[in-house]
């Protein structure tokens, strides 16, 4: 791996790890990559042969058009073949591969631990499929959309797989999002069912998910878009208040029950809409044949921030997602049968979809399903889990690494991390200091660090060596363009684009093909435009520079500045707002907001608190601004466009602003520097 700041020092994996690896050396990688580009049909048919197809794929594997000047954009993978995701990740492992007794998940669902085998998951999933397919009250059918607003508990995975078994399309909303965000996603995808829980603890704080869900459904009704007919509720918080009475939830083996008693909080209930998960589970049998789906049938919708402020419903399809998540998981993490793998992401993000649920299960892997935060009940929580389950592959975010670095070596040294073989990072660039700490302290200088670059839209594009230096994954053909759309050869810097699709790339923006085409293909016809800047060095490594458009990566969560600005300007005191990024020692980036007030309105602490609360309610806690600055005026061009480059420099206290010749009123810069926030608001 190549590490900046060390004279581009190379770090080689241990010989023992390299010897048994699926891709043992760079020459092997080059051979596989060449085959994936020059013989894609042969390459992907070999990958597909590992899975069950009710109707096998025939003909050309990938068909596509990336050029808007030649007609509608489309991508088709294995068109005409039929299969089922749930069958391939559960039935195939239990029946065909004889892995029924293998542990699928070690669930650290506080206050107890739960071990789920593939056979146990298979039976639970079938039961939920009966529930979803209409034998009971919910009546979900193939093609229906199901909104899932759950914490990191087994029922989240059960519900995902139940949807895939009957051909329903799941839309998971991160359980940290607000009622407004949940409402917006339910309305956009016209979900008929919402699955949620009564509540969940984040550290010592109770999040009343059911109350938030009820608020979201009420907002849907107010906007005359009440498509949800039933709300299925898991008694997760209620379970924790019963002092060890875990009822039906622990029908599988469980260990280490906690005597902790949590406060009882009344859960709001509407008998006309709400259905208790635990009650209905006892009414169903275990017989549910999978729905055999076309390869290009939709699998799920996942919303990602959009530069216009409205989240985009990224749609992925059955066969392509199965092939690509299974292959990337196998090769990126060098999955071996005796591995215990742990990805700390939330399933509400694409990382969790791909590398907690579908990728690991497709490979028959044993994983850790973690509900909690890294510093609760103590700052050594991550290392405690690694020791307990003898984790071999550990995949987390740079934000978590930077957070845990602050506590020094003592919390790490209390635990045995010798089981670790490979470390991974995801979600944002990792800085050299954090990389070295991760490699030297957690990996004990013997574990390779796999840094990955990818997007909700593309599943996985590349495997990075460190801080975004990378070669492309199999089937991915990147190039770099300048502003005029001309391809740049050799050492170059510009727009990162892709020439062709691979099975795991998004198919469309749900319900808005025009937005799909204009966002990703209009700027440079013939290429998929990532929105990221990129540099290619003399050795051919790609160095990802980050978002070119106005997006901010906070703790690995990509936020739209337009969405935050819209939230701020909804306040009656705010005339205009502009949001930029500012470096943060833990989050990587944080939100720095400039607000211009309406006449006669006063900028004070009360207003700042109101604005923060409004952003939290409309978007979610992750979007809470760290800095809100009074801005009597904003730097604009003569045509009225806000000069965000200048605002970013002001936020970072960078006095050399470069060329300001296009600014309509340069005097505003001095005013903004005088009002600048030195400490968080």
């Amino acid at each position: 791996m190549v590490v900046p700041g060390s004279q581009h020092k190379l770090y080689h994996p241990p010989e023992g790890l390299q010897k048994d690896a699926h891709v043992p050396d760079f020459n092997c990688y080059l051979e596989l990559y060449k085959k994936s580009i020059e013989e894609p049909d042969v390459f992907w048919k070999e990958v597909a042969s590992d899975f069950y197809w009710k109707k096998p794929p025939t003909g050309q594997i990938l068909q596509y058009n990336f050029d808007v000047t030649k007609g509608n954009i489309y991508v088709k993978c294995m068109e005409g073949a039929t299969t089922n995701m749930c069958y391939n990740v559960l039935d195939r492992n239990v029946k065909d591969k004889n892995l029924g007794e293998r542990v699928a998940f070690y669930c650290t669902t506080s206050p107890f631990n739960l071990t789920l085998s593939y056979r146990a998951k298979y039976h639970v999933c079938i039961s939920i499929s009966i529930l979803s397919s209409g034998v009971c009250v919910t009546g979900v059918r193939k093609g229906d959309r199901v909104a899932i607003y759950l914490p990191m508990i087994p029922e989240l995975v059960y519900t995902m797989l139940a949807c895939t078994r009957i051909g329903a399309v799941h839309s998971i909303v991160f359980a940290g999002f607000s009622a407004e965000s949940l409402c917006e996603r339910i309305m956009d995808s016209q979900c008929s069912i919402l699955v949620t829980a009564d509540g969940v603890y984040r550290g010592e704080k109770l999040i009343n998910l059911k109350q938030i869900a009820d608020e979201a459904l009420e907002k849907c009704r107010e906007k005359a878009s009440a498509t949800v007919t039933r709300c299925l509720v898991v008694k997760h918080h209620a379970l924790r208040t019963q002092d060890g009475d875990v009822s039906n939830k622990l029908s599988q083996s469980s260990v280490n029950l906690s005597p902790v008693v949590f406060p009882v909080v009344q859960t709001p209930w509407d008998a006309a809409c709400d259905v208790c998960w635990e009650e209905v589970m006892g009414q169903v049998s275990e017989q549910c044949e999978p729905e055999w789906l076309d390869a290009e049938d939709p699998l799920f919708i996942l919303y990602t921030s959009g530069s216009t402020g409205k989240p985009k419903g990224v749609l992925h399809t059955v066969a392509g997602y199965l092939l690509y998540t299974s292959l990337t998981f196998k090769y990126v993490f060098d999955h071996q049968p005796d591995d215990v793998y742990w990805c700390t992401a939330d399933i509400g993000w694409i990382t969790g979809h791909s590398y907690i649920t579908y990728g690991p299960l497709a490979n028959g892997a044993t994983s850790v399903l973690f509900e909690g935060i890294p510093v609760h009940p103590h700052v050594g929580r991550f290392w405690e889990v690694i020791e307990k389950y003898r984790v071999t592959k550990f995949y987390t975010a740079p934000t978590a690494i930077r957070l845990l670095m602050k506590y020094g070596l003592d919390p790490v040294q209390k635990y045995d991390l010798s089981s670790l073989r490979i470390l991974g990072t995801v979600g944002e660039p990792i800085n050299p200091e954090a990389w070295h700490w991760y490699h030297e302290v957690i990996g004990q200088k013997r574990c390779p660090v796999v840094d990955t670059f990818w997007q909700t839209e593309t599943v996985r594009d590349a495997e990075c060596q460190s801080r975004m230096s990378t070669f492309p994954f199999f089937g991915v053909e990147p190039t770099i363009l300048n502003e005029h759309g001309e391809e740049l050869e050799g050492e170059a810097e510009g727009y990162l684009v892709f020439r062709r699709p691979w099975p795991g790339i998004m198919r469309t923006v749900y319900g808005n093909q025009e937005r799909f085409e204009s966002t990703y293909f209009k700027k440079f016809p013939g290429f998929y435009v990532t929105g990221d800047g990129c540099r290619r060095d003399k050795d051919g490594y790609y160095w990802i520079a980050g978002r070119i458009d106005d997006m901010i990566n906070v703790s690995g969560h990509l936020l739209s500045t337009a969405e935050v600005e819209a939230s701020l300007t909804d306040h009656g005191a705010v005339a205009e707002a502009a949001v930029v990024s500012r470096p943060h020692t833990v989050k990587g980036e944080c939100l720095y907001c400039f607000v211009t007030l309406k006449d006669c309105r006063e900028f004070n602490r009360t207003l700042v608190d109101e604005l923060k609360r409004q952003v939290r309610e409309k978007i979610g806690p992750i979007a809470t601004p760290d800095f809100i600055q009074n801005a009597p005026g904003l730097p604009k061009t003569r045509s009225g466009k806000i000069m965000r480059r200048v605002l970013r420099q002001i936020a970072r206290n960078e006095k050399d602003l470069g060329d300001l010749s296009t600014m309509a009123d340069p005097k505003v810069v001095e005013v903004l520097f005088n009002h600048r926030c030195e400490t968080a608001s």
Side-chain angles (χ1 to χ4, degrees), residues 458-475:
T458 57
V459 182
R460 186 178 298 278
D461 314 321
E463 304 320 314
C464 306
Q465 303 302 327
S466 174
R467 210 188 181 199
M468 301 293 112
S469 81
T470 178
F471 283 101
F473 192 73
F474 307 135

Side-chain angles (χ1 to χ4, degrees), residues 141 143-147 163 167-171 191 298-301 315:
R141 295 287 189 270
D144 287 349
R145 276 78 61 206
V146 176
C163 289
V169 181
H170 62 71
S171 174
C191 294
L299 177 66
F300 67 83
I301 302 165
L315 187 140

Side-chain angles (χ1 to χ4, degrees), residues 222-291:
E222 291 172 357
K223 297 176 181 180
S225 184
T227 57
V228 170
T229 59
R230 289 288 188 272
C231 181
L232 187 57
V233 184
V234 177
K235 290 184 177 179
H236 178 57
H237 167 63
L239 186 65
R240 298 173 63 145
T241 67
Q242 295 172 9
D243 192 16
D245 176 15
V246 293
S247 64
N248 293 332
K249 182 161 185 171
L250 294 187
S251 57
Q252 284 74 47
S253 60
S254 59
V255 294
N256 296 342
L257 296 180
S258 169
V260 176
V261 179
F262 292 88
V264 178
V265 177
Q266 188 65 37
T267 300
W269 201 262
D270 178 1
C273 177
D274 298 336
V275 179
C276 176
W277 174 293
E278 288 77 10
E279 290 178 6
V280 180
M281 274 288 292
Q283 304 172 15
V284 297
S285 68
E286 295 184 352
Q287 299 301 316
C288 180
E289 287 300 311
E291 183 80 27

Side-chain angles (χ1 to χ4, degrees), residues 326-340:
S326 64
L327 190 71
T328 51
F329 177 79
K330 174 181 176 180
Y331 282 127
V332 172
F333 302 105
D334 191 40
H335 173 66
Q336 304 294 338
D338 63 341
D339 276 335
V340 177

Side-chain angles (χ1 to χ4, degrees), residues 184 305-312 515 551 560-564 566:
E184 186 173 35
S305 294
S307 57
T308 64
K310 180 181 168 142
K312 304 186 293 288
R515 188 180 185 190
M551 309 293 287
S560 162
T561 57
E563 192 174 12
V564 179

Side-chain angles (χ1 to χ4, degrees), residues 481-630:
L481 307 181
N482 63 18
E483 184 65 44
H484 305 293
E486 299 165 338
E487 287 193 55
L488 304 176
E489 303 295 335
E491 290 186 68
E493 186 169 359
Y495 290 85
L496 176 64
V497 300
F498 298 116
R499 296 178 187 275
R500 64 170 79 186
W502 52 93
I505 200 169
M506 72 181 293
R507 298 305 192 261
T508 189
V509 170
Y510 182 77
N512 198 336
Q513 176 71 10
E514 181 181 355
R515 188 180 185 190
F516 172 58
E517 295 185 358
S518 64
T519 301
Y520 302 103
F521 300 95
K522 187 175 181 180
K523 185 175 182 65
F524 299 123
F527 299 94
Y528 172 93
V529 181
T530 66
D532 285 295
C534 183
R535 175 176 65 87
R536 186 173 51 231
D537 67 20
K538 61 183 177 59
D539 297 316
Y541 284 95
Y542 287 83
W543 297 75
I544 313 301
R547 304 297 292 175
I548 288 177
D549 55 15
D550 296 318
M551 309 293 287
I552 298 177
N553 195 324
V554 178
S555 297
H557 301 165
L558 197 61
L559 299 175
S560 162
T561 57
E563 192 174 12
V564 179
E565 289 165 3
S567 178
L568 291 168
T569 54
D570 274 351
H571 192 284
V574 178
E576 192 172 23
V579 178
V580 297
S581 67
R582 171 170 162 160
H584 191 282
T585 55
V586 173
K587 301 177 185 179
E589 291 181 313
C590 66
L591 299 175
Y592 192 109
C593 307
F594 296 84
V595 293
T596 301
L597 303 184
K598 295 177 180 177
D599 290 342
C600 302
R601 301 305 295 262
E602 181 182 359
F603 187 87
N604 53 34
R605 166 53 59 181
T606 300
L607 177 60
V608 169
D609 291 342
E610 288 177 5
L611 292 174
K612 285 190 172 186
R613 185 165 56 250
Q614 179 151 309
V615 173
R616 287 175 64 90
E617 290 173 355
K618 286 187 170 293
I619 303 174
I622 192 65
T624 305
D626 282 64
F627 300 88
I628 299 180
Q629 173 180 331
N630 183 24

Side-chain angles (χ1 to χ4, degrees), residues 655-674:
K655 298 296 179 66
D656 184 7
L657 301 181
D659 182 15
L660 301 180
S661 60
T662 60
M663 188 180 297
D665 182 12
K667 295 179 182 178
V668 74
V669 172
E670 183 179 354
V671 175
L672 291 176
F673 268 115
N674 290 336

